[in-house]
């Protein structure tokens, strides 16, 4: 789980990685409201297994995934927008 920027007023956005299938993982977005996680939006499917997920000071997060079918790693920049 990675906490993102607190630019959403009373809601703090976070992203969390979860297992999808053997070939993909999913990133889920949530907001923390009254000390509880509330899902927002649909999960994003990432090819491979997410091996690392961390917050950056600029309010984004980085996810690193290992795609075993091609034997490579890929890094993804994640951002949640508040509306």
């Amino acid at each position: 789980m990675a906490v993102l920027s607190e630019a959403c007023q009373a809601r703090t956005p976070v992203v969390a990685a979860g297992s999808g299938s053997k070939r993909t993982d999913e990133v889920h977005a949530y907001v923390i409201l009254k000390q509880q996680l509330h899902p927002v939006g649909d999960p994003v499917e990432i090819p491979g297994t997410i091996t690392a997920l961390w917050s950056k000071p600029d309010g984004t997060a980085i996810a690193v995934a290992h795609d075993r079918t091609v034997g490579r790693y890929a890094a993804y920049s994640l951002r949640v927008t508040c509306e």
Side-chain angles (χ1 to χ4, degrees), residues 33-70:
L33 185 60
K34 297 182 182 178
Q35 300 180 349
Q36 293 184 352
L37 287 176
H38 297 272
V40 291
D42 294 324
V44 176
E45 197 170 271
I46 302 287
T49 302
I50 295 177
T51 60
L53 178 64
W54 69 89
S55 303
K56 291 179 55 185
D58 66 359
T60 63
I62 299 293
V64 176
H66 181 233
D67 188 342
R68 289 189 175 106
T69 60
V70 294

Side-chain angles (χ1 to χ4, degrees), residues 17 21 26 28-29 33 35 38 70 73 82:
S21 69
E26 296 177 337
H28 300 262
L33 185 60
Q35 300 180 349
H38 297 272
V70 294
Y73 287 87
C82 305

